[in-house]
Amino acid sequence: KTILSLKTFFNPKKIFFGNREDRKHPDVRLTDQLETLFGDVVVCHSAAPSNVRTGQRPLAVAASAARAKHVKYDADARAAGGKLVPIAIEALGGWHQEAVGLLNRMVAFAAANPRCVWAPREVRARCLARVSIEVQRGLATLAQRGDRSAAARAGYHLHMP
């Protein structure tokens, strides 16, 4: 997809974080004239038993998940010629500031495109709605499977496809 000069690649398979055997790669690569950004999604649940203490502060669980992504993948993103942007979203709706910044950047690209028929607020609302629906779909899938023990072991950190 191209929005003006912003190119997005979802699940870029040729870029690896960590060693190649782990098969870990970013969820999205965004490239414009200035830089390459690697987005890695993490959905966390602030009401999970493992987050009782941290979850008392707004977006603290998302901030913790974003920090963990930085610790784990910043060096790999730099080695691949870009910058990591954790897309940390709480299952109850909150977005970490880096995820909001990335969304704002994408909205600005769309707004500057004369072929875009939507106003920036509409682009933003559609993006937020789409991501929210996918988060809820993932949570519903977990609930349907009755996969509570696996989710609890993971601290309710779900990765979107």
Side-chain angles (χ1 to χ4, degrees):
K1 296 180 182 179
T2 303
I3 301 174
L4 283 181
S5 60
L6 180 71
K7 294 181 182 175
T8 60
F9 302 92
F10 295 95
N11 293 314
K13 303 287 187 205
K14 294 181 180 178
I15 300 167
F16 292 98
F17 283 179
N19 63 44
R20 202 177 255 290
E21 292 76 40
D22 289 343
R23 310 285 300 159
K24 293 185 186 291
H25 53 84
D27 296 311
V28 64
R29 183 181 78 187
L30 299 144
T31 305
D32 65 15
Q33 305 95 326
L34 303 174
E35 65 184 334
T36 296
L37 303 174
F38 297 107
D40 204 46
V41 177
V42 59
V43 177
C44 45
H45 201 309
S46 57
S50 59
N51 294 324
V52 169
R53 187 168 284 146
T54 308
Q56 300 300 312
R57 296 183 317 278
L59 295 174
V61 175
S64 176
R67 275 192 305 276
K69 289 284 186 184
H70 277 298
V71 167
K72 194 170 185 178
Y73 297 126
D74 270 352
D76 294 323
R78 278 193 303 275
K83 175 184 169 189
L84 178 74
V85 179
I87 305 171
I89 301 169
E90 291 192 355
L92 299 177
W95 285 46
H96 183 261
Q97 64 189 14
E98 288 182 84
V100 171
L102 183 62
L103 173 64
N104 289 340
R105 188 169 178 172
M106 293 169 64
V107 168
F109 271 103
N113 186 337
R115 293 179 294 184
C116 184
V117 297
W118 297 302
R121 64 179 162 63
E122 292 171 311
V123 173
R124 182 181 175 84
R126 287 172 185 263
C127 287
L128 287 169
R130 178 65 184 174
V131 170
S132 296
I133 288 166
E134 291 304 320
V135 167
Q136 294 308 309
R137 184 175 288 154
L139 292 172
T141 299
L142 267 182
Q144 277 182 327
R145 287 185 194 155
D147 207 1
R148 292 188 181 119
S149 62
R153 284 192 306 275
Y156 288 105
H157 288 254
L158 310 173
H159 292 280
M160 292 174 50

